[in-house]
Amino acid sequence: QVQLVEFGGGLVQPGGSLRLSCVASGMIFSLKGMAWYRQAPGKQREWVASITSGGGRTNYADSVKGRFTISRDNAKNTLYLQMNSLKSDDTAAYYCNIDPAGKVWGQGTQVTVSS
């Protein structure tokens, strides 16, 4: 059974940084493309960034390009999202999933950008 556990969110001031982590189990992590998604209050969940199974290729939504970096450690079954220069528009619950997204979602981790 696939399990995804996200953590690392919190309250940060505009311009600050956070690093999110996602630990995956119940699947062969090293064979899966992975992605981060987010859902802001009152909005639909949206794709943020993705990475290929080996980590050699990444893609980003225009809204986060140049500020966020997705990476992975296949030895630890862990996906990361380094978020820099955070803006209030980045406030959302952040989720990881395979790419394209499967049916199983974790609980997410809340990121709040506010002064």
Side-chain angles (χ1 to χ4, degrees):
Q1 181 178 353
V2 173
Q3 282 194 318
L4 302 162
V5 179
E6 303 93 344
F7 56 95
L11 174 64
V12 63
Q13 292 187 340
S17 298
L18 281 175
R19 188 196 197 202
L20 307 184
S21 300
C22 165
V23 178
S25 60
M27 61 177 177
I28 304 176
F29 181 78
S30 61
L31 297 183
K32 299 289 188 180
M34 296 294 295
W36 285 98
Y37 305 81
R38 69 185 180 185
Q39 187 167 19
K43 295 187 177 180
Q44 287 194 333
R45 189 171 293 170
E46 64 174 356
W47 167 78
V48 174
S50 57
I51 187 167
T52 52
S53 58
R57 222 182 328 173
T58 57
N59 279 301
Y60 299 91
D62 287 344
S63 59
V64 306
K65 201 171 293 183
R67 301 187 298 120
F68 290 11
T69 302
I70 188 172
S71 62
R72 64 191 298 161
D73 185 337
N74 285 346
K76 296 182 178 179
N77 283 10
T78 303
L79 181 72
Y80 303 100
L81 186 68
Q82 177 67 43
M83 306 187 296
N84 299 328
S85 303
L86 283 161
K87 307 174 181 179
S88 58
D89 287 348
D90 297 317
T91 295
Y94 284 72
Y95 303 85
C96 69
N97 209 315
I98 60 174
D99 182 31
K103 294 182 180 179
V104 176
W105 292 89
Q107 83 288 348
T109 186
Q110 178 66 36
V111 172
T112 302
V113 184
S114 175
S115 55

